[in-house]
Structures are given as structure tokens and as C-alpha cells.
Amino acid sequence: MTPTTETMVGIGGAAESTDMVLNIGPQHPSTHGVLRLKLVLDGERITHAEPVIGYMHRGAEKLFEARDYRQIIMLANRHDWLSAFSNELGVVLAVERMLGMEVPERAVWLRTLLAELNRVLNHLMFLGSYPLELGGITPIFYAFREREELQHVMEEISGGRMHYMFNRVGGLKEDLPAGWTARARTAVADVRSRMDRFDDLVLGNEIFRGRTRGVGVLSPQAVHAYGVSGPIGRASGVDFDLRRDEPYLAYGELQDTLKVVTRQEGDCLARFECLLEQTHNALDLADACLDRLADLPPGPVNQRLPKVLKAPEGHTYAWTENPLGINGYYLVSKGEKTPYRLKLRSASYNNIQALTELLPGTLVADMVAILGSMFFVVGDIDK
């Protein structure tokens, strides 16, 4: 006799409690690029969330090992395409530390100025795009208007609109064009004069506040557990900023101007407020750098390097307060013209992990508000 198998199929009320798996992405308007979110839903409520990364992976860390110390700047420039100057900066600081190299004073102040202008450019993009994801189209036009003002002076000095390639080991590519500081000062003043539009249009909008207040609360314990940094970490009350706590470049002399912006709420609204207030402070820091540059005598902005640059055998770690958070660069050298190993710790990679803690228990409708408030760039994750 042939054995038979009986299967009982239940329908009706039991089916209503069945979890549903929903994929957001990898191509989705709210994911800032090629990111996939695997959500498990119970009705409209998220019970489990898993960020799936790697769709843009380009193997930059492996390519570092096959490029010399001049060429790796180009690779490091591109992972966070909104923070190109800051990305370059971390690499050259690591190589200079390995070489024990002193950078001319003018180059130090110029690097600080350009890093803060790059911070403003980065933040303006999110100040415009985040309201857009919640249905407010107007702020992004103002954001791009202000970005163009600053992009113009950055393009004039470097020749690039996004990938500046202006840092060099030992300083900067070249000195300033004639009259550039006056034009930069005008651009900073113009942008500052119009920043209140974001307070009025966005923070003053009751719909925006209703969609973000109390939504996606990230605890300080989760910030520490996942290594979250930057405006997202400070919005949860974690008062940490490398520019103040371990100063590099000229930040040690800018402590009177530097303001570390924090909030205690840890929600989407707090993260946006931190970003906006930090943009105001970055403009103040840029003005302070321009004032100091005006007082400095003419001088070099770089060091003369040998035709073939080799770092001595050893290892070092440099980290910077990038616009999106802490970037770390662990450089290992065997005394050759290429790094033996260059490990990149990017801000977005750590920050996005917190979604596994933030999204469970929230509604699908709030997912976009939470995701947008994480202020990440996918290239910074898939480096």
C-alpha cells in the first residue's frame, strides 16, 4: 500500500496574523541610492528590519593597495559624494602623520575653511531633500539655490563641482586665485542671510513637525552600541565632536566660534534641528577662517615632495569629524609607494545599522520619515 501524506490547510482568521515580508528598494525614491530594506510587517506595523547593503560596492579599500599615495586621494574622494573635500582630508592627514610632516600654516587654515564650506554644502542637500521626502517640495529649490552660491566658489578654487581633488599630501594643490577670499566671504554672507527660510518653511510647518516629533527615537545607549556619530548621535544627547574633543587642523584655535549642537529628544525632528543649527555654525566657522587668512602673510600652501613618495614602515590612525559623522583611516605601510592596507571607517556605514533598532515597532508610514532623518549617502556605506 502506497503511503499517503495529509496536509491541513487553514484559512480565515489565522491568516490575518501572518507576517508579510516587504522589500523597500534597492531602487526606491526614499533610500538615497541603491539600498534595500527588508521589512517584516504585522499589518501596518514593522516587526523586524534588515538593511541590505552592497549593491554599489566598488572595492575602494582593495584598490587603495594598488595605487600610490597621490592616486588614493581620488579613490577616497568619492565614497560620500556630498563630502568630497572632507574625504580627501582624512587620507592626507593619515599619510602626513605617518611621514611626520608639518603642513604650512596657510594650508591648515585653508583646509579648515574648505572643510566647513563642504559641511554646509552637504547639510544643505539634506535640509532640502528631507522635507521633499515628506511631501514638501519648496525647500529643495532654496537648498539648491544656496548650494550653487557656495559651489561656485568651490569650483573656482579647485576646478571641480563635486570631486574637488584639491588636497595633497603636504598641503593643497595650489594657492588661491586673486580676490577669491572676498568672493567666498560674499557667498557665505549671502547664504547666511537666507538660511531663515528653512526655519520658516520647514521647522515652522505643523505638518512637518507632526510627521517628525516623537518619531524614530534613538536612545543614547543605541548610539553608543552601534557607533552612531555626527548630527544623528548628537541629536540623541551624545555630546561628542572631534573638532572640539580632539582638535585637528585649526579647530583648536576656533573653540570660541565652534558650537557643538545637541538635542535630547533623539527623534526625527531633533536630528533635523541639529543639522540646521550645525549649518549656521559652519558658516560662522568659515567666516572666522576667512578673518584669520586675511591676517596671515603670503606663504606656501604645500610642501615639496619627492618624485616617488614612500611612507615609512608602520601604521597610524587618523579620524575626522566629517559632515555625516566620524570618518576613520587606518593606514598600514611596508615602506613602499602604495599602502599595504588602508581601512576606511565611514560614518554612514555605522549610522545605518541603527535602523534595525529604530524601525521595529513603528508604522510603515513613518519608515520614510525615519530613513530620511538618518542623513546617509549609500556610497559611504558601500565604499
Side-chain angles (χ1 to χ4, degrees):
M1 181 177 177
T2 305
T4 60
T5 302
E6 293 185 3
T7 302
M8 182 76 71
V9 179
I11 59 172
E16 295 177 5
S17 63
T18 303
D19 290 336
M20 179 176 72
V21 178
L22 178 67
N23 281 293
I24 305 293
Q27 299 284 1
H28 191 274
S30 72
T31 57
H32 300 202
V34 193
L35 173 72
R36 175 182 163 213
L37 283 179
K38 184 180 177 183
L39 307 179
V40 179
L41 308 180
D42 181 6
E44 286 293 309
R45 198 164 294 279
I46 299 169
T47 59
H48 179 76
E50 178 189 353
V52 183
I53 65 172
Y55 292 94
M56 286 186 67
H57 186 56
R58 291 158 293 163
E61 289 181 344
K62 191 64 182 173
L63 289 172
F64 286 149
E65 302 168 15
R67 303 291 188 274
D68 67 34
Y69 286 104
R70 291 178 174 90
Q71 295 169 327
I72 60 173
I73 299 172
M74 180 275 294
L75 292 170
N77 179 289
R78 285 161 165 73
H79 56 89
D80 174 1
W81 46 77
L82 296 178
S83 311
F85 186 86
S86 301
N87 299 340
E88 303 168 11
L89 187 60
V91 170
V92 296
L93 287 175
V95 179
E96 287 162 5
R97 180 175 294 181
M98 184 76 88
L99 291 166
M101 181 181 290
E102 290 289 332
V103 176
E105 189 178 13
R106 273 175 58 78
V108 171
W109 282 96
L110 265 174
R111 281 177 170 180
T112 311
L113 166 63
L114 296 173
E116 290 306 311
L117 291 179
N118 194 197
R119 193 180 308 277
V120 177
L121 284 168
N122 175 288
H123 290 356
L124 280 170
M125 175 62 79
F126 291 108
L127 291 174
S129 67
Y130 185 43
L132 179 66
E133 291 167 1
L134 297 181
I137 192 171
T138 307
I140 198 162
F141 294 112
Y142 289 113
F144 270 90
R145 167 71 176 79
E146 310 314 329
R147 275 176 57 84
E148 279 302 312
E149 190 91 25
L150 295 174
Q151 286 279 26
H152 185 70
V153 295
M154 294 290 281
E155 185 176 6
E156 181 185 359
I157 195 174
S158 67
R161 281 183 60 81
M162 289 185 69
H163 304 298
Y164 305 110
M165 286 300 298
F166 199 57
N167 276 293
R168 295 292 187 273
V169 176
L172 295 169
K173 176 186 174 185
E174 57 196 9
D175 208 344
L176 306 173
W180 182 87
T181 52
R183 291 187 287 276
R185 193 182 292 277
T186 301
V188 169
D190 288 347
V191 171
R192 181 188 287 107
S193 69
R194 294 187 291 263
M195 282 300 294
D196 59 347
R197 288 171 174 167
F198 294 97
D199 293 279
D200 300 336
L201 277 173
V202 185
L203 288 181
N205 186 295
E206 62 182 63
I207 299 175
F208 178 84
R209 299 183 75 87
R211 289 290 307 275
T212 56
R213 187 193 288 114
V215 174
V217 177
L218 183 65
S219 68
Q221 292 77 19
V223 169
H224 291 298
Y226 287 94
V228 175
S229 59
I232 302 170
R234 291 191 285 273
S236 295
V238 178
D239 188 4
F240 182 69
D241 190 314
L242 281 176
R243 296 173 298 169
R244 179 199 62 195
D245 301 325
E246 194 174 311
Y248 58 99
L249 295 181
Y251 290 114
E253 299 181 49
L254 291 169
Q255 297 301 305
D256 292 339
T257 307
L258 175 63
K259 179 183 178 184
V260 179
V261 183
T262 60
R263 293 289 188 276
Q264 300 301 318
E265 296 82 2
D267 57 9
C268 296
L269 181 60
R271 291 191 278 273
F272 187 86
E273 288 176 343
C274 276
L275 201 73
L276 179 55
E277 196 170 337
Q278 191 168 287
T279 308
H280 284 284
N281 186 240
L283 291 169
D284 294 339
L285 288 167
D287 263 340
C289 291
L290 285 164
D291 291 340
R292 182 58 187 270
L293 282 167
D295 296 335
L296 289 178
V301 295
N302 50 39
Q303 296 273 24
R304 290 185 63 86
L305 299 176
K307 189 172 183 180
V308 178
L309 179 64
K310 294 183 178 181
E313 188 170 346
H315 60 93
T316 190
Y317 184 75
W319 56 348
T320 58
E321 187 69 42
N322 265 38
L324 297 181
I326 293 174
N327 269 28
Y329 303 85
Y330 180 57
L331 173 63
V332 181
S333 172
K334 294 291 187 181
E336 301 296 331
K337 66 178 182 178
T338 63
Y340 177 75
R341 186 79 170 91
L342 180 53
K343 168 65 180 173
L344 169 62
R345 186 264 192 218
S346 62
S348 297
Y349 183 81
N350 279 66
N351 291 354
I352 207 67
Q353 294 181 82
L355 287 172
T356 58
E357 183 120 352
L358 272 178
L359 290 176
T362 64
L363 297 172
V364 176
D366 290 329
M367 184 272 299
V368 175
I370 296 169
L371 188 62
S373 73
M374 297 306 287
F375 309 132
F376 63 91
V377 172
V378 174
D380 204 35
I381 303 168
D382 297 339
K383 50 192 182 294

